[in-house]
């Protein structure tokens, strides 16, 4: 795959697990691609036992990880030649999610500048009646070129 | 275990993996307890393949998860009767960590008020020559009592 | 004024400067009330010389101050009996505003829980074509009662 | 003044108000320079009536503004040729400060990379017995050159 095919690669997994990713931790999170367009992703995740904390609910660290991962995937949908690095994530926690629940991450671009991208990610319960968490991330364009991915 | 034994329970794992935790995701992260005192933990983690991103380095989401988890464990060292919930995490990313590296999380209390706790977590490489990331978290005391843990 | 009249007090300044506030710094910022409802304020500010930085543009510190002040005013629109304290503000900066420009702050509630309120404030240029900055604030209810304001 | 003289310009105001700044809002804040070195400033401020909120204490927006301003001044101490812009400020509030109090802002560099600078600012009461607030800021180097300042 070349960098110009990144969005198309996510889109062709619509409705199913994104198994072809080269990121081992993304495979561990195991998103199902609900929809994908430039700057906007909807991924769903099923909460497995190993994602729980000692209360038996979705661990806040896994929430942070889901947000970080969907945000980075969102930047890849611009099919740009240069890598971005995440410089910060802020996660606000609002609601719990239970074991075996499906949660739904939706990203959107707040601002895409020349060097910086600000992205928001809302994590909802499956029916979108409760906002579980909200993340804000900043990514910075590097001068490192993507060759084959 | 009762809530008054939380710090002692972490301390008795000093120098080894904290296998006895009831948190499945903490077991997945698999910290080694380096030291533990009231309000101050040092945990080490070995970066496994499934913690990597597509660049083959430690995934930013796992960094966020490590910070979230050590911070929550730090609050437990106060042996308090009531549960705390994390209301926010902010993670600033500075350096990369490679596969099979050992990383070292060190927490410290910024401010512990009546209701709120502000905690910082620095994530270092093993020799503490590079700061990989820095997290700031806020936790709020709930009115939910701990019974047996 | 009693605490039950806080929203009405803002509303009766609609279309003009909020001169009757008892906050000296709010008077210095000198908002014009565009609209006010429960949990949602629109205030406009004219950028004066003393609000500028050395580049002759709106100082980032004044942007932060505008966001902090509108957010606190927004919490007052719930007409609640107890004081809230701001526990944190995060401000992301996107665009500049020039001297004598009018800027428009719009607040909205992200989540209002039993103890915590999460509020967002977007600061726009007058025509709302550019987002100047975005703030996220957390406020915590105290047990201190309001008597007369 | 040229950009190579920025640190020296702050240092020569040690022990007195920084009246010569070209920033009108910095003059309004009116810091006294306690000490200045590369990447590290200590400024003191006296809380005036117009800096207060409706409770008669230091307004949280002025706290945010002090932090934003000292942080930007800290970046100038590197005497670099290119302008930086602040991309974000996060302020955590811990204690109140009263009218006519002196507060003390101390900055330190968390990480200075090629493009990004992360700076911390602690705001203390005069005797440094209470931390009033803590700020974390990110600034990004632009490609805009400083000519005369």
């Amino acid at each position: 795959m070349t960098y110009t095919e990144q969005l198309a690669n996510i889109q062709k997994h619509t409705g199913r697990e994104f198994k072809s990713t080269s990121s081992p931790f993304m495979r561990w999170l195991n998103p199902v691609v609900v929809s994908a367009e430039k700057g906007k992703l909807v991924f769903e995740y099923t909460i497995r036992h190993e994602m729980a904390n000692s209360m038996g609910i979705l661990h806040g660290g896994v929430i942070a990880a889901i947000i970080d991962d969907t945000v980075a995937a969102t930047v890849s949908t611009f099919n740009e030649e240069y890598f971005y690095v995440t410089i910060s994530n802020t996660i606000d926690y609002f609601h719990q999610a239970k074991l075996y629940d499906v949660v739904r991450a939706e990203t959107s671009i707040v601002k895409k500048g020349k060097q910086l991208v600000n992205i928001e990610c809302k994590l909802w319960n499956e029916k979108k009646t409760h906002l579980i968490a909200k993340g804000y991330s900043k990514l910075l364009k590097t001068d490192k070129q993507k060759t084959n991915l």
Side-chain angles (χ1 to χ4, degrees), chain A:
Chain A
M1 188 180 70
T2 72
Y3 66 82
T4 60
E5 301 164 313
Q6 293 176 96
L7 173 56
N9 186 44
I10 299 176
Q11 286 173 329
K12 79 181 179 204
H13 290 81
T14 304
R16 55 194 176 89
E17 294 171 353
F18 191 26
K19 291 287 190 198
S20 79
T21 173
S22 58
S23 163
F25 185 64
M26 193 186 207
R27 276 199 301 273
W28 187 87
L29 290 172
N30 199 22
V32 167
V33 179
V34 175
S35 68
E37 54 185 285
K38 203 189 255 194
K40 202 161 184 44
L41 293 177
V42 182
F43 281 4
E44 284 186 347
Y45 300 82
T46 301
I47 308 314
R48 304 189 308 270
H49 178 70
E50 58 187 343
M51 294 174 170
N53 64 16
S54 57
M55 318 280 291
I57 58 176
L58 177 55
H59 192 293
V62 178
I63 290 174
I66 285 173
I67 287 171
D68 179 79
D69 196 56
T70 53
V71 155
T74 303
V75 172
S76 79
T77 64
F78 289 102
N79 288 348
E80 293 185 10
E81 192 174 352
Y82 293 91
F83 281 105
Y84 281 78
V85 288
T86 302
I87 58 175
S88 66
N89 278 324
T90 299
I91 298 107
D92 290 330
Y93 295 94
F94 302 120
H95 273 280
Q96 301 179 345
K98 292 194 303 292
L99 212 53
Y100 313 120
D101 277 1
V102 169
V103 296
R104 183 186 175 96
E106 300 192 357
T107 59
S108 59
I109 302 292
V110 174
K111 169 96 195 289
K112 188 170 185 307
K114 245 190 328 182
Q115 294 170 274
L116 262 188
V117 193
N118 282 265
I119 304 189
E120 192 178 273
C121 177
K122 290 184 175 170
L123 189 68
W124 297 94
N125 63 341
E126 191 172 11
K127 294 181 171 174
K128 287 192 63 173
T129 51
H130 287 99
L131 183 61
I132 296 166
K134 193 174 172 179
Y136 326 93
S137 301
K138 290 183 177 51
L139 291 95
L140 185 66
K141 190 186 274 195
T142 68
D143 51 10
K144 189 175 171 192
Q145 265 177 290
K146 293 172 188 170
T147 51
N148 288 338
L149 295 170

